[in-house]
Amino acid sequence: MNPILDPTVYLPDAEARIMPDGRVYLYGSHDNPGDTEFCSTNYVTYSSTDLIHWQDHGIIFNSTDKKHGVNNGLTLGAPDCIVSHNRYYLYYCMYGNRMGVAVADKPDGPFKNLGPVTPADGQSIDPAIFIDDDGQAYYFWGQFNLRGGQLATDMQTIIPTTINTNILSEHEHGFHEGASIRKIKGIYYLTYTDISRGRATSLAYATAKQPLGPYTKRGIIIDNTGSDSSSWNNHGSIELVNHQLYVFYHRSSQNSIYNRRLCIEPLTLNVDGSINEVQMSSTGVETALPVNQPITVSRLSRMRLKLPFNALIEPMALHPLGSADTLAYVKNNDWIQFDHVDFGHNCQQFKISLATPKPMRVEVWLENNHKIGTIKINHPGPDWQTYQIYHGTLAKTAGIHRVWLKFGAENHAVGRLGNLKSVQFIEEREK
């Protein structure tokens, strides 16, 4: 389900890599919960065999711990990692456009600093690493303008005569940052953060016949607009796992450009090499949100965004509630979306966990603008922190559907209405 990690884990900018042990490893930045800065001073990694159950390997590199060979306390930005000759190379960037590489004997580290990547060190951010079928390694880096070149055998020196200083640009390709490269069926795919839709919320891709280009922009893979009112960027990668192509990307939370969470969507790779744009979903690689189980608000895929003329009003957003989330600052006419919700064979009831001191209602809508149920809260609780269970009935519903929860004020209530924690659809038992 999306997000794929615990709601308290913020791992954006993810590079997903299948390593020799057969597991998929995630290498990304690591946002501090509730912070007002991107990233942190450490990297963590997770791995999986099925993209559903993820093992936490803990901290693999830390700029405040001298055992990793760096002790400057600088913030670590988006990384990448690759294996070469049984050694694992972690390419990192730091505030101040510092770019370097660390090495380990295992994919989960611990990594020890080797030193700067030259001449990229001091120039920009967001390293990307690729090793071609002939064993030649390539290094890419840049913001607004993507550069790349062949790496020498020391894995930290870019051969000057091979450098292409204009692989992608912002004005021509919408390139903002976050390059990632893969080779699929003989074609080189560069995915990157794209700003051509007004914000850097999209992942785009370009293809070429050679690692250093020339590249042709092919389209957008995914756009995270709608995940949070203040969402600003997207950054991720594609990876072929068991013959299925996936995109790994992040979504913002907490009405901020930070607190970014990792999500996955399966992709369709067409015979002409193109990739269809895919929408954000609640389920990711799984089939459906199951009937008879609470669906937490962290599983929502889209929400009503803050209106421009309401700039001073706190918008609806996901906020931490212990180890889970609450959907806070819900107001009249707000809505959220869940995808692939399973109603079983005969669902006629639902319940919500809600904290509200005001009269309000929660409506359930399906595709084709079809409302199937409403809960009216005529006897609200004492405040926005006391959660209560409210029950409602549904028109008989079966199968898997896209669901919208819409919120409304009752009895002339105004302003903030309530905080929602979960919804559960209940299947009638056969008699």
Side-chain angles (χ1 to χ4, degrees):
M1 301 298 177
N2 282 327
I4 65 171
L5 303 176
D6 188 276
T8 61
V9 177
Y10 303 92
L11 198 155
D13 309 331
E15 283 287 346
R17 294 284 190 180
I18 298 179
M19 291 305 186
D21 62 3
R23 300 178 69 87
V24 176
Y25 285 80
L26 303 173
Y27 301 93
S29 306
H30 190 202
D31 286 352
N32 286 318
D35 206 346
T36 55
E37 284 287 339
F38 291 118
C39 311
S40 65
T41 58
N42 65 68
Y43 293 140
V44 297
T45 192
Y46 289 74
S47 72
S48 175
T49 58
D50 59 9
L51 303 183
I52 297 173
H53 304 94
W54 293 91
Q55 179 182 347
D56 180 2
H57 296 279
I59 294 174
I60 60 171
F61 192 66
N62 193 330
S63 69
T64 65
D65 190 338
K66 61 183 180 181
K67 77 176 183 181
H68 295 285
V70 177
N71 193 24
N72 55 25
L74 292 177
T75 296
L76 292 165
D80 199 357
C81 188
I82 207 158
V83 60
S84 177
H85 298 96
N86 298 317
R87 303 201 80 190
Y88 295 85
Y89 293 87
L90 178 71
Y91 291 87
Y92 64 83
C93 60
M94 292 178 165
Y95 276 20
N97 292 335
R98 299 183 65 173
M99 308 192 78
V101 58
V103 68
D105 295 323
K106 301 183 299 178
D108 58 346
F111 286 85
K112 186 69 176 288
N113 189 43
L114 279 181
V117 174
T118 56
D121 184 41
Q123 292 185 356
S124 194
I125 62 171
D126 290 0
I129 184 68
F130 170 73
I131 298 179
D132 211 344
D133 300 334
D134 61 2
Q136 177 61 58
Y138 294 82
Y139 183 88
F140 300 80
W141 73 104
Q143 186 180 44
F144 315 130
N145 187 77
L146 181 64
R147 289 162 272 190
Q150 293 182 359
L151 274 179
T153 55
D154 65 1
M155 297 296 285
Q156 67 180 108
T157 304
I158 307 165
I159 301 171
T161 55
T162 69
I163 294 175
N164 182 345
T165 60
N166 193 27
I167 297 174
L168 298 175
S169 65
E170 187 175 63
H171 65 269
E172 183 177 354
H173 306 94
F175 175 76
H176 183 68
E177 60 190 14
S180 174
I181 184 168
R182 299 291 188 273
K183 186 179 184 180
I184 304 173
K185 297 181 179 179
I187 301 297
Y188 300 89
Y189 286 77
L190 260 178
T191 59
Y192 59 92
T193 303
D194 187 290
I195 202 168
S196 59
R197 291 181 176 175
R199 285 188 174 190
T201 54
S202 298
L203 290 184
Y205 75 106
T207 60
K209 296 180 179 180
Q210 300 293 332
L212 297 175
Y215 279 88
T216 300
K217 182 177 180 179
R218 302 289 295 275
I220 300 294
I221 296 175
I222 195 164
D223 188 338
N224 69 19
T225 297
S227 61
D228 186 271
S229 279
S230 294
S231 181
W232 161 249
N233 77 343
N234 204 345
H235 185 155
S237 58
I238 59 173
E239 185 73 337
L240 201 60
V241 182
N242 295 325
H243 308 292
Q244 170 65 53
L245 189 63
Y246 297 92
V247 60
F248 296 75
Y249 69 103
H250 65 240
R251 305 176 190 169
S252 292
S253 64
Q254 301 177 29
N255 185 35
S256 74
I257 62 177
Y258 317 108
N259 306 298
R260 298 164 295 172
R261 292 167 169 165
L262 180 57
C263 299
I264 306 177
E265 308 292 350
L267 297 174
T268 299
L269 181 63
N270 300 309
V271 293
D272 64 354
S274 62
I275 300 173
N276 295 345
E277 182 173 355
V278 67
Q279 300 299 309
M280 295 182 294
S281 78
S282 301
T283 50
V285 301
E286 299 184 63
T287 303
L289 296 167
V291 69
N292 297 324
Q293 293 187 23
I295 301 171
T296 61
V297 290
S298 62
R299 303 301 183 198
L300 67 85
S301 62
R302 303 181 74 85
M303 65 172 65
R304 187 186 195 222
L305 299 182
K306 177 172 58 178
L307 300 177
F309 49 81
N310 284 340
L312 299 179
I313 298 176
E314 185 75 20
M316 175 178 63
L318 294 172
H319 287 271
L321 182 69
S323 61
D325 275 342
T326 186
L327 184 73
Y329 299 99
V330 168
K331 286 175 283 295
N332 189 46
N333 292 323
D334 279 347
W335 54 265
I336 58 175
Q337 176 181 315
F338 297 99
D339 308 285
H340 310 123
V341 178
D342 190 355
F343 285 83
H345 298 289
N346 180 12
C347 191
Q348 298 184 47
Q349 299 181 60
F350 76 111
K351 62 182 180 180
I352 58 174
S353 177
L354 182 77
T356 179
K358 295 182 179 181
M360 61 175 291
R361 66 182 181 275
V362 179
E363 302 170 348
V364 181
W365 293 71
L366 304 185
E367 307 93 337
N368 300 314
N369 209 30
H370 179 47
K371 185 170 72 171
I372 62 169
T374 303
I375 291 177
K376 289 188 177 182
I377 293 90
N378 295 317
H379 303 286
D383 50 44
W384 285 293
Q385 289 77 44
T386 304
Y387 288 82
Q388 301 184 60
I389 302 297
Y390 298 92
H391 295 262
T393 59
L394 297 170
K396 183 178 178 180
T397 306
I400 295 175
H401 295 273
R402 181 172 292 170
V403 173
W404 291 267
L405 298 185
K406 298 177 70 175
F407 308 97
E410 291 285 312
N411 299 333
H412 309 291
V414 295
R416 178 182 180 184
L417 294 178
N419 296 343
L420 180 71
K421 187 158 59 173
S422 66
V423 60
Q424 182 175 344
F425 299 101
I426 304 165
E427 186 177 27
E428 293 294 306
R429 295 182 179 178
E430 294 184 3
K431 297 181 180 180

